[in-house]
Amino acid sequence: MFDFDVSDLDLGARRVQPAWAVQVAEEDIRPQKCRHKYRPRDPTNAPHEPRQPEQRNAAQNPRKAESAAQQSKQPNRIGVTPAQAKYRKEYRDSSVECLSTEIELGSVEYKYQLTTCISNPNRLHQLVTQMKYRLSEGGSECFYYIGVEDDGYPRGLDATELAASIKIIQDMAASLQATARLVEYVRGGFGRTAALLHIKENAEEDMTATDLRIAVAGSMDSGKSTLVAVLTHGTDGRPLLDNGRGSARMAVFRHKHEIESGRTSSISQQVLGYDDDGRVVNYVGVAAPTPADIIASSSLLLNFIDMGGHEKYLKTTLYGMTCTLPGGYLRRKQPLSAQQIVSHCK
């Protein structure tokens, strides 16, 4: 095709890079100036060695330096001197067998110590919620390692701390209608002990409750939603009271237009539970319990069915009164206004 050999051409890919040389004038090459502070030389011209911080302290305070030297030679209870503890924050016993790293999913939870959460109700509530999640992941049962860190190292606890942590786990399980059982003790680091607990929910036949459905009906603006909200919501042993401007009914409303208008347009079901001693389960705890918590802890359940009172939502109200199969009705009557009272007196 070509009359010449392509391989003989000097193409760009085979082009040899030219060699560049830089000449620097002799007057431009200057030694760098020393920026160190001037220090007077020793008269003997001996090489000067910088002092360490320990040597400086010893020169200033000989007694303090002598006591620090003696203390650094004394090992602590885990076999590490304070001088080593200054640079190492954690110590681990290499003779113990570590577990696998904890994962967020599954039915196995690692806890090092729980005695500090007794004085913090919010933290205790978070731990109970976490246990509930582990129970759901394991199908009504889970396992807890006490004295084990998140990376699986069994650091262990003292006998008193371990017993207190196990007692807290048992109380948390009892609040969820479950039972915590000690499986075995695990050898921890430096002579301490860890523990393995098995937590299992109680049988369903032991948690049966009587359910009664009550349909709440009445005219418009008669306070049906406010009444249901005050009865079924509350914390710290007290019900949720209204401020006179409809703050309580916000816990019952389901749609945005209901909040804006202040009128119920849908069917809302709220649960009120009583335990074996007749106490209201809805008001127990620092946070509002979920319907699942109320049902699991109650022996008597009242299911309030809140419905709208405006004639615009009459079909929805009739549907709620017939299809939900209520066992009783609660009728709210609208109170008389000031004008109606005056006209009635005349």
Side-chain angles (χ1 to χ4, degrees):
M1 182 175 181
F2 297 101
D3 296 336
F4 54 88
D5 191 4
V6 180
S7 60
D8 297 337
L9 297 178
D10 188 10
L11 301 179
R14 301 179 182 180
R15 188 172 300 170
V16 180
Q17 298 292 338
W20 297 90
V22 180
Q23 290 184 353
V24 182
E26 294 181 359
E27 57 272 11
D28 294 340
I29 302 177
R30 300 176 183 177
Q32 296 182 358
K33 294 183 179 180
C34 181
R35 298 182 179 180
H36 296 286
K37 293 183 179 180
Y38 173 74
R39 294 180 180 178
R41 291 287 182 177
D42 205 3
T44 58
N45 294 330
H48 178 72
E49 296 181 359
R51 290 183 176 181
Q52 299 295 332
E54 293 80 2
Q55 298 177 358
R56 298 174 186 174
N57 297 334
Q60 296 175 2
N61 194 345
R63 294 183 179 179
K64 185 177 181 181
E66 184 179 358
S67 62
Q70 294 178 358
Q71 185 179 4
S72 61
K73 296 179 180 179
Q74 297 177 359
N76 55 13
R77 60 180 181 179
I78 57 177
V80 180
T81 61
Q84 297 175 349
K86 181 179 179 181
Y87 302 98
R88 296 178 58 187
K89 297 181 180 180
E90 296 183 359
Y91 314 97
R92 298 197 171 185
D93 191 355
S94 59
S95 62
V96 298
E97 183 179 358
C98 296
L99 305 175
S100 58
T101 306
E102 181 189 16
I103 57 177
E104 297 181 358
L105 304 177
S107 60
V108 181
E109 178 69 25
Y110 296 165
K111 290 298 178 186
Y112 175 62
Q113 187 178 4
L114 298 177
T115 55
T116 58
C117 67
I118 299 177
S119 59
N120 191 351
N122 294 329
R123 177 57 180 165
L124 187 61
H125 179 72
Q126 293 175 358
L127 294 175
V128 172
T129 305
Q130 187 181 44
M131 181 179 290
K132 187 190 307 181
Y133 170 75
R134 293 297 185 181
L135 288 172
S136 63
E137 286 288 315
S140 302
E141 64 178 357
C142 63
F143 294 90
Y144 267 66
Y145 280 95
I146 308 299
V148 180
E149 297 183 352
D150 293 340
D151 57 355
Y153 173 67
R155 184 173 295 274
L157 297 172
D158 296 337
T160 305
E161 297 176 350
L162 184 61
S165 299
I166 293 176
K167 181 64 170 57
I168 295 174
I169 291 293
Q170 293 175 349
D171 295 341
M172 291 165 51
S175 64
L176 297 177
Q177 302 297 328
T179 304
R181 181 176 59 87
L182 179 62
V183 178
E184 63 177 356
Y185 289 102
V186 181
R187 189 173 72 89
F190 306 106
R192 296 189 176 185
T193 308
L196 173 61
L197 300 178
H198 176 234
I199 302 170
K200 185 176 182 180
E201 292 183 352
N202 299 331
E204 295 184 358
E205 54 267 18
D206 298 338
M207 298 188 300
T208 56
T210 304
D211 186 11
L212 177 61
R213 298 183 180 182
I214 301 176
V216 182
S219 59
M220 180 182 60
D221 298 334
S222 60
K224 300 183 299 298
S225 301
T226 301
L227 175 62
V228 173
V230 171
L231 291 176
T232 58
H233 291 77
T235 55
D236 199 12
R238 299 178 181 179
L240 176 64
L241 301 180
D242 188 75
N243 61 352
R245 295 186 298 271
S247 63
R249 62 187 179 185
M250 299 300 172
V252 180
F253 286 158
R254 301 175 55 189
H255 304 286
K256 182 180 178 180
H257 66 271
E258 294 180 346
I259 299 175
E260 294 175 351
S261 62
R263 295 175 180 174
T264 305
S265 62
S266 60
I267 300 174
S268 176
Q269 298 188 20
Q270 305 295 327
V271 181
L272 178 63
Y274 293 90
D275 57 6
D276 297 333
D277 299 332
R279 294 174 296 184
V280 179
V281 181
N282 301 51
Y283 308 154
V284 178
V286 295
T290 61
D293 298 337
I294 298 173
I295 295 173
S297 304
S298 302
S299 59
L300 175 62
L301 294 173
L302 299 181
N303 190 357
F304 290 97
I305 305 172
D306 184 28
M307 298 171 292
H310 198 275
E311 59 181 4
K312 181 180 179 180
Y313 312 111
L314 180 59
K315 292 184 180 180
T316 305
T317 303
L318 294 176
Y319 175 83
M321 296 178 66
T322 55
C323 296
T324 57
L325 301 177
Y329 291 92
L330 176 61
R331 181 175 178 271
R332 286 281 296 174
K333 184 178 180 181
Q334 182 179 6
L336 297 176
S337 61
Q339 296 180 357
Q340 293 176 348
I341 295 174
V342 172
S343 61
H344 180 72
C345 293
K346 291 181 179 179

